[in-house]
């Protein structure tokens, strides 16, 4: 299977929102769509899913125009959109039915994902509340246990609503999963929970498209990227190859004595400095090694000397910053 996105374009009047965007996924993995706010990422996703008409371009799944008939798609939207006054279980069963999942199987899958996402208490309320320690269980006059109503969407926090929507995205066991800002607003515990499930989907050979402002997360999962700015593609390709093309030019240096003078003498730019810990930009390994030699000859004790390629965050800021200058 393969996914090909070719020459997508969308305009509103004179404003170009997506300008001839193309990329492809020849096999399973994670593709990242990155960009500034308003760059056209969400519009691109909606055109891929046929939720929004394209001015031009095509999206092919296995050589055929992508539709929900020939591709099982799961979508977690950036805008959270549960129905606030309907029970969570009813909504999950409804969306499962839309994707052709039989009711009995849907219930099994809901129970599985409720456990994985630690959301069982919102979907399977107990028939009665457990009594506190030392307290006798109370019954109504009819000796019936009190029934607890299922939770509604608007009774949940935003993070827990996000869990339910993640369940909706995964309930049909999709081949193609599109995640628009999947970790936005989650606390660290739930962030790790979502990440674990994303890793499982990758290991299962799924195709994932991820849009996120969290560059560290993108680096953790994605193999290929497109960076967009003001509707246009400004950088595209394999993430490792892009980073290698920059070379090892970022140096993290920590010393026991003040090294600012030695750094300045070497003609190296200090990006940031805090308590004898420096983030430096060098021209390459030769300049870095010369600095290390000078520091040692000067009697400065080096604690950390880490020469590395730039991070995706640094590449993003540089590429987008060049355009905005």
């Amino acid at each position: 299977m393969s996914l090909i996105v070719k020459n997508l374009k969308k305009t509103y009047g004179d404003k170009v929102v997506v300008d001839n965007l193309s990329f492809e996924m020849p096999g399973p993995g994670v593709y990242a769509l990155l960009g500034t706010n308003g760059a056209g990422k969400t519009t691109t996703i909606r055109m891929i899913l046929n939720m929004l008409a394209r001015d031009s371009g095509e999206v092919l799944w296995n050589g055929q125009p992508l539709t929900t008939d020939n591709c099982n798609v799961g979508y977690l939207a950036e805008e959270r959109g549960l129905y606030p006054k309907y029970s969570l279980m009813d909504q999950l069963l409804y969306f499962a039915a839309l994707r052709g999942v039989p009711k009995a199987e849907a219930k099994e899958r809901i129970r599985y994902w409720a456990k994985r996402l630690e959301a069982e208490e919102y979907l399977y309320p107990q028939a009665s509340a457990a009594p506190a320690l030392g307290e006798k269980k109370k019954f109504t006059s009819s000796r019936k246990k009190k029934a607890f109503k299922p939770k509604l969407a608007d009774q949940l926090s935003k993070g827990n609503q996000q869990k339910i929507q993640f369940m909706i995205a995964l309930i049909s066991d999709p081949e193609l999963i599109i995640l628009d800002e999947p970790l936005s607003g989650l606390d660290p515990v739930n962030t790790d929970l979502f990440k674990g499930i994303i890793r499982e989907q990758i290991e299962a050979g799924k195709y994932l498209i991820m849009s996120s402002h969290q560059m560290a997360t993108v680096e953790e999962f994605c193999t290929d990227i497109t960076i967009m700015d003001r509707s246009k593609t400004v950088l595209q390709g394999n993430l490792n190859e892009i980073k290698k093309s920059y070379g090892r030019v970022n140096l993290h240096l920590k010393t026991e004595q003040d090294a600012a003078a030695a750094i300045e003498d070497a003609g190296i730019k200090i990006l940031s400095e805090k308590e004898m810990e420096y983030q430096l930009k060098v021209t390459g390994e030769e300049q870095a090694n010369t600095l290390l030699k000078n520091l040692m000859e000067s009697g400065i004790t080096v604690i950390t000397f880490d020469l590395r390629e730039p991070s995706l965050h640094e590449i993003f800021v540089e590429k987008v910053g060049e355009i905005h200058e």
Side-chain angles (χ1 to χ4, degrees):
M1 290 184 290
S2 65
L3 174 70
I4 298 174
V5 175
K6 187 175 180 182
N7 298 328
L8 290 191
K9 185 171 184 178
K10 183 66 180 177
T11 60
Y12 291 105
D14 295 331
K15 182 177 177 59
V16 179
V17 182
V18 177
D19 192 2
N20 288 310
L21 172 67
S22 298
F23 67 88
E24 62 181 278
M25 297 180 68
V30 187
Y31 199 101
L33 287 176
L34 310 173
T36 52
N37 292 328
K41 306 183 297 300
T42 298
T43 299
T44 297
I45 288 171
R46 289 173 177 170
M47 286 193 288
I48 290 172
L49 293 171
N50 296 307
M51 296 169 63
L52 189 64
R54 312 162 195 141
D55 292 345
S56 60
E58 58 183 349
V59 179
L60 303 177
W61 177 256
N62 234 10
Q64 300 296 321
L66 186 150
T67 69
T68 54
D69 291 328
N70 63 18
C71 180
N72 187 351
V73 182
Y75 175 41
L76 176 62
E78 180 181 10
E79 300 86 3
R80 311 309 176 207
L82 294 173
Y83 297 103
K85 297 301 181 183
Y86 288 85
S87 80
L88 300 172
M89 181 62 75
D90 286 347
Q91 294 190 60
L92 284 161
L93 290 171
Y94 170 72
F95 284 110
L98 287 181
R99 300 301 301 127
V101 182
K103 189 171 184 179
E105 187 175 348
K107 287 184 175 181
E108 290 181 8
R109 293 183 183 183
I110 290 168
R111 187 168 288 279
Y112 170 80
W113 284 117
K115 185 174 182 179
R116 287 288 286 109
L117 284 161
E118 300 176 4
E120 290 175 293
E121 64 180 291
Y122 310 119
L123 293 166
Y124 304 102
Q126 299 298 313
S128 64
L133 186 63
E135 180 184 348
K136 293 182 179 180
K137 188 176 286 189
K138 297 179 181 179
F139 295 89
T140 61
S141 58
S142 61
R143 296 186 176 272
K144 290 183 179 180
K145 296 179 180 180
K146 182 180 178 182
F148 282 75
K149 293 182 180 179
K151 290 284 187 180
L152 306 180
D154 63 358
Q155 294 175 303
L156 271 59
S157 67
K158 290 183 178 179
N160 284 321
Q161 288 187 42
Q162 198 161 332
K163 289 182 180 182
I164 303 300
Q165 290 201 237
F166 200 21
M167 291 174 65
I168 291 170
L170 298 173
I171 198 167
S172 65
D173 191 20
E175 305 163 280
L176 173 62
I177 304 170
I178 299 180
L179 306 175
D180 197 354
E181 295 292 348
L183 307 180
S184 175
L186 293 178
D187 61 51
V189 172
N190 284 315
T191 294
D192 285 347
L193 188 61
F194 271 49
K195 283 183 178 182
I197 292 171
I198 291 171
R199 289 190 193 96
E200 290 174 4
Q201 298 301 308
I202 296 169
E203 291 169 3
K206 303 299 182 67
Y207 289 70
L208 286 89
I209 297 175
M210 181 182 296
S211 174
S212 177
H213 288 112
Q214 300 181 20
M215 298 297 160
T217 298
V218 172
E219 282 196 87
E220 189 175 344
F221 293 115
C222 299
T223 52
D224 296 275
I225 65 169
T226 289
I227 296 178
M228 303 174 66
D229 185 64
R230 297 176 182 177
S231 79
K232 296 183 180 296
T233 298
V234 298
L235 184 66
Q236 187 174 76
N238 179 270
L239 180 55
N240 284 335
E241 294 301 320
I242 290 171
K243 292 176 73 172
K244 284 180 182 178
S245 71
Y246 279 79
R248 298 172 67 199
V249 295
N250 287 45
L251 177 60
H252 174 207
L253 174 67
K254 186 174 182 179
T255 61
E256 286 191 352
Q257 298 86 24
D258 188 352
I263 295 168
E264 186 177 343
D265 289 343
I268 295 174
K269 182 180 180 181
I270 299 177
L271 301 177
S272 66
E273 175 184 355
K274 181 182 178 183
E275 296 179 350
M276 291 174 287
E277 189 166 2
Y278 310 88
Q279 302 296 334
L280 309 175
K281 178 72 75 175
V282 298
T283 56
E285 292 188 23
E286 183 177 351
Q287 189 181 42
N289 290 333
T290 298
L291 172 62
L292 179 60
K293 179 181 177 183
N294 293 343
L295 290 170
M296 296 177 69
E297 290 176 351
S298 301
I300 296 174
T301 302
V302 177
I303 300 171
T304 302
F305 191 89
D306 181 22
L307 185 63
R308 59 174 177 80
E309 298 164 345
S311 66
L312 178 57
H313 175 91
E314 291 160 337
I315 292 171
F316 181 93
V317 171
E318 178 181 317
K319 293 300 296 185
V320 174
E322 286 175 356
I323 298 167
H324 287 248
E325 286 178 354

